[in-house]
Amino acid sequence: MTPAIKCIITDDEPMARKGLQGYIEKIDFLELAGVCEDAIQLNSLLKQQPADLLFLDIEMPYVTGIDFLKNTPNSPKVIFTTAYEQYAIKGYELDVLDYLLKPISFERFLKAANKAYDYFSSAVSNSGNYLFIKTDNKLEKVNLQELLFVEAMENYVALYTADKKLITHSTLKALQEKLPAGQFIQPHKSYVVNIQCIQSIEGNILHVGGKYQIPISKYQKEEIMERIVNDKLLKK
C-alpha cells in the first residue's frame, strides 16, 4: 500500500487555502503537512517538514510559484493552482504533475489527486530480483544483486550501484518494503545496505562497494553485527 502523500498548500488567498484544505480532508490518501501564505513561508517550512506534494499558487507576492520551483533543487512534486490559464505551458515545462485552474471543482481536484497517487505508487516497482525505478521521466531497471545501498534524501531516495546513482521520489521505508529482508539491512535511519556488498566493518562504519562508508547507528549495532556476521566469524 502506498503511504499517505504528505501535502503542503501555498496560496496567498485565504479562501483558496481553505477550499484546498477541505478537499484534502475528503481524500484518504492525502495528508496535510502544512499551509503557507507565500513561497517564503514555504521555503522555511520545507526545511523543517518533509513533503511529497505541493499545491502551489503561481501569482504570489515576493516570489512566484514558478520562480520558487525553478530555484528549489529536489523540490517535492507540484500541482499548480492558479487563476491564470496562460501559465499552463510553463507548468508542464517544469514537469509539474498537474495544473488546476481556479475556481477548482472537487471533481477536477480529485482527478489531480489520483494522478499524484498513480505517480507515487509507481515510482518504484518490484519484479522478483530487480526493481524498476522512475527517474528522469523513464523507468530504469536495477538488478538487486548490483544494488550496493540506498540513501534517504528528504523527499527522495538515491540508489547506488557500482557504476551509477539513481534518484527517485520515494521514502526509504516505501522502497525498503520492496527489497528482500534477508538480503538488505538498515544500519542507520538514512541507509539500507545490501549485505552481500559489505566488504569490511570498522568500528561503527560499514565499507561498501570499495569506496563508500555507511554509518551504523549505536542503537542498532548489536543487531546489525549479528545479521552481518552471524556464525561466519572466524574466532581464535
Side-chain angles (χ1 to χ4, degrees), residues 39-85:
I40 297 172
Q41 286 187 6
L42 175 61
N43 185 65
S44 298
L45 181 59
L46 285 175
K47 297 182 187 308
Q48 308 166 30
Q49 172 65 59
D52 304 308
L53 179 65
L54 306 179
F55 289 97
L56 184 62
D57 189 20
I58 294 179
E59 286 286 350
M60 295 184 291
Y62 311 116
V63 181
T64 69
I66 288 175
D67 287 339
F68 174 84
L69 190 53
K70 283 181 177 179
N71 293 287
T72 306
N74 294 330
S75 164
K77 294 302 291 184
V78 168
I79 293 177
F80 274 144
T81 60
T82 180
Y84 302 96
E85 192 171 359

Side-chain angles (χ1 to χ4, degrees), residues 15 22 35-36 61 76 82 96 121-122 133 141 153 159-160 228:
M15 291 304 295
V35 179
C36 300
T82 180
V96 302
S121 63
S122 64
I133 303 299
K141 183 178 179 181
M153 299 171 58
L159 296 88
Y160 292 78
I228 297 171

Side-chain angles (χ1 to χ4, degrees), residues 141-161:
K141 183 178 179 181
V142 178
N143 290 315
L144 295 185
Q145 294 297 328
E146 299 174 0
L147 179 58
L148 301 177
F149 66 94
V150 183
E151 179 184 13
M153 299 171 58
E154 294 186 356
N155 305 299
Y156 295 78
V157 291
L159 296 88
Y160 292 78
T161 67

Side-chain angles (χ1 to χ4, degrees), residues 98-116:
D98 209 340
Y99 181 95
L100 298 178
L101 193 62
K102 298 176 183 178
I104 303 166
S105 68
F106 180 72
E107 179 183 7
R108 183 63 184 87
F109 181 88
L110 180 61
K111 182 178 180 180
N114 284 333
K115 185 181 293 187

Side-chain angles (χ1 to χ4, degrees), residues 15-234:
M15 291 304 295
R17 295 195 299 270
K18 185 177 180 180
L20 289 172
Q21 283 181 259
Y23 286 173
I24 288 173
E25 290 171 0
K26 294 178 183 295
I27 300 176
D28 59 2
F29 57 81
L30 297 182
E31 177 183 329
L32 186 61
V35 179
C36 300
E37 296 180 10
D38 54 46
I40 297 172
Q41 286 187 6
L42 175 61
N43 185 65
S44 298
L45 181 59
L46 285 175
K47 297 182 187 308
Q48 308 166 30
Q49 172 65 59
D52 304 308
L53 179 65
L54 306 179
F55 289 97
L56 184 62
D57 189 20
I58 294 179
E59 286 286 350
M60 295 184 291
Y62 311 116
V63 181
T64 69
I66 288 175
D67 287 339
F68 174 84
L69 190 53
K70 283 181 177 179
N71 293 287
T72 306
N74 294 330
S75 164
K77 294 302 291 184
V78 168
I79 293 177
F80 274 144
T81 60
T82 180
Y84 302 96
E85 192 171 359
Q86 66 265 28
Y87 291 119
I89 294 176
K90 178 60 68 175
Y92 289 115
E93 287 176 353
L94 293 170
D95 194 29
V96 302
L97 282 179
D98 209 340
Y99 181 95
L100 298 178
L101 193 62
K102 298 176 183 178
I104 303 166
S105 68
F106 180 72
E107 179 183 7
R108 183 63 184 87
F109 181 88
L110 180 61
K111 182 178 180 180
N114 284 333
K115 185 181 293 187
Y117 180 88
D118 291 342
Y119 172 84
F120 288 110
S121 63
S122 64
V124 180
S125 61
N126 183 300
S127 299
N129 60 354
Y130 56 89
L131 297 173
F132 272 106
I133 303 299
K134 182 181 286 187
T135 181
D136 295 330
N137 295 318
K138 65 180 179 180
L139 291 172
E140 187 150 352
K141 183 178 179 181
V142 178
N143 290 315
L144 295 185
Q145 294 297 328
E146 299 174 0
L147 179 58
L148 301 177
F149 66 94
V150 183
E151 179 184 13
M153 299 171 58
E154 294 186 356
N155 305 299
Y156 295 78
V157 291
L159 296 88
Y160 292 78
T161 67
D163 58 358
K164 60 186 173 183
K165 173 184 175 182
L166 301 173
I167 297 177
T168 191
H169 200 295
S170 176
T171 63
L172 190 65
K173 181 180 178 181
L175 189 142
Q176 188 175 9
E177 290 174 353
K178 296 181 180 293
L179 298 173
Q183 185 179 346
F184 289 85
I185 57 170
Q186 186 174 9
H188 184 277
K189 65 179 182 179
S190 298
Y191 296 92
V192 171
V193 179
N194 188 340
I195 295 175
Q196 301 299 320
C197 297
I198 297 171
Q199 295 173 308
S200 62
I201 307 167
E202 184 178 359
N204 290 326
I205 298 294
L206 301 177
H207 294 270
V208 179
K211 58 181 179 179
Y212 299 105
Q213 296 182 358
I214 308 299
I216 304 174
S217 167
K218 64 180 180 179
Y219 303 108
Q220 294 178 260
K221 185 171 183 181
E222 184 176 343
E223 179 184 348
I224 293 301
M225 290 296 291
E226 185 177 342
R227 285 280 313 276
I228 297 171
V229 179
N230 199 7
D231 61 350
K232 297 180 176 62
L233 179 62
L234 181 62

